[in-house]
Amino acid sequence: MSQPRYDVVAIGNAIVDILAKADDAFIAANGMTKGAMQLVFSPEEADALYAKMGPGTEVSGGSAANTIAGMAALGSSCGFIGQVADDQLGAVFAHDIRAAGIRFDTPARAGQPTTGRCLIFVSPDGQRTMNTFLGASHFLPAEALDRDLIADSSYLYLEGYLWDPEEPRAAMRAAIDVARAAGRKVAFTLSAEFVIDRHRAAFHELIDGGLIDVLFANDAEIMSLTENSDREAAIASLQDKVPLLVVTLGPDGAMAIAGGERTTCAAEAVTEVIDTTGAGDLFAAGFLHGQVTGKSLADSLRLGAICAAECIGHIGPRPLADLKALAADKLG
């Protein structure tokens, strides 16, 4: 097996986040569930909700793209595969990810729909309520995969959010085959309970088929996947099916289970919770960076917690602080 040139290549939604502050009354009045993510199925609906937003901040987003941005900031060599449209937001996304030093070569798609966007309302307590119009990212074809890039990366990282539409789901299945044929590892994040509800059988098929090397989930997601309301029982039913199971527990920290051995870490202290958007994505960035650089599970978990805490301390899902310096200061 040849030595890969890249640490991680990710496949995910290529979207631009638009964040604005909103109180709980606004969220309830507009039929949203606080702290949840719901899909917006038409550009007209997205435009109508956007018109109600207060002053907003535009930042490139997408779960896997956020993770890759965090890894690049830590020093990992990364690539990203995702579909944008040939429009202004598509150009913003492409500029931002390339400016972070990430290889991004997926051709922009002509015509409708537009580049995906996520309208995020940030509550005074830092909770984020997301309304996602996936747009062009729904139409990532298998033909757009850079198979050489996938085969030349130590890890293929996939986000569950993109499993929902048929075309990119087929692309991700093809990408798994490429990674497996090249002897690379596959990491998968479950993303959200609504995705699990729609694709539970398919996710179990991936896991039972031995196609997932690293599975990321939060406690609610792992209970949803296993349809078990007891967290420990849910973990026990999965831990022997994947080589590495990583479960985040919010303010209670995180755990990683490999070979039946459990390693835990506490959450990093945060002076003030400003915005939780992207916290799980940045946790995955720190953890995977730790793994590709040969760190122990304990140090990888701690690095994930450090990155998540940095993200929570400001508006937006991408790191603002120097993550390399932050990691060096806290990990030594």
Side-chain angles (χ1 to χ4, degrees):
M1 188 192 314
S2 61
Q3 185 67 23
R5 287 190 297 162
Y6 296 90
D7 294 316
V8 178
V9 59
I11 302 178
N13 284 314
I15 61 179
V16 176
D17 291 341
I18 304 170
L19 302 102
K21 294 181 179 180
D23 58 25
D24 292 354
F26 175 91
I27 291 169
N30 284 276
M32 294 178 270
T33 300
K34 181 179 175 180
M37 196 285 276
Q38 64 184 15
L39 292 176
V40 177
F41 293 101
S42 72
E44 293 77 17
E45 186 182 354
D47 288 343
L49 188 57
Y50 178 64
K52 297 178 181 180
M53 294 185 84
T57 301
E58 288 185 3
V59 292
S60 291
S63 175
N66 294 336
T67 295
I68 289 297
M71 292 192 71
L74 286 163
S76 288
S77 176
C78 302
F80 181 76
I81 298 170
Q83 188 66 65
V84 297
D86 186 11
D87 57 17
Q88 182 178 355
L89 286 183
V92 168
F93 181 91
H95 169 269
D96 286 353
I97 203 158
R98 289 170 182 153
I102 298 162
R103 180 173 167 181
F104 175 63
D105 300 324
T106 312
R109 185 177 187 271
Q112 294 294 320
T114 60
T115 296
R117 50 188 149 144
C118 185
L119 309 179
I120 302 175
F121 297 91
V122 183
S123 306
D125 61 358
Q127 278 288 338
R128 79 281 187 270
T129 303
M130 301 183 290
N131 301 266
T132 305
F133 173 62
L134 292 169
S137 65
H138 264 221
F139 299 94
L140 175 72
E143 294 75 24
L145 295 176
D146 187 334
R147 285 167 166 77
D148 290 339
L149 174 60
I150 295 167
D152 212 9
S153 301
S154 293
Y155 281 85
L156 170 66
Y157 181 76
L158 305 172
E159 69 168 84
Y161 283 130
L162 197 59
W163 199 264
D164 209 44
E166 181 178 353
E167 197 165 16
R169 182 165 65 248
M172 288 196 286
R173 284 190 179 276
I176 291 172
D177 291 340
V178 173
R180 283 299 187 194
R184 310 309 185 194
K185 292 183 177 181
V186 177
F188 192 92
T189 178
L190 290 174
S191 293
E193 291 172 73
F194 84 89
V195 177
I196 297 167
D197 287 341
R198 292 162 66 96
H199 301 287
R200 184 177 288 107
F203 291 167
H204 278 296
E205 180 183 328
L206 293 175
I207 293 166
D208 294 342
L211 298 179
I212 306 300
D213 297 288
V214 185
L215 181 66
F216 288 93
N218 62 30
D219 48 359
E221 290 161 1
I222 201 165
M223 288 188 288
S224 175
L225 179 66
T226 60
E227 297 181 282
N228 195 319
S229 59
D230 181 275
R231 185 176 75 194
E232 286 300 318
I235 291 169
S237 71
L238 274 182
Q239 66 181 33
D240 295 329
K241 294 184 177 182
V242 289
L244 179 53
L245 176 64
V246 183
V247 184
T248 57
L249 308 171
D252 294 327
M255 67 176 72
I257 305 171
E261 295 294 323
R262 179 180 300 197
T263 305
T264 63
C265 82
E268 285 290 301
V270 179
T271 302
E272 183 181 6
V273 175
I274 302 297
D275 174 19
T276 58
T277 306
D281 305 332
L282 268 293
F283 176 89
F287 183 88
L288 274 181
H289 178 77
Q291 290 295 283
V292 299
T293 54
K295 288 184 170 53
S296 66
L297 287 179
D299 283 347
S300 295
L301 285 168
R302 178 83 195 286
L303 185 54
I306 290 166
C307 292
E310 189 280 336
C311 182
I312 289 169
H314 59 74
I315 292 286
R318 303 275 175 97
L320 297 182
D322 183 337
L323 289 187
K324 281 185 183 178
L326 192 61
D329 178 60
K330 290 183 174 287
L331 283 178

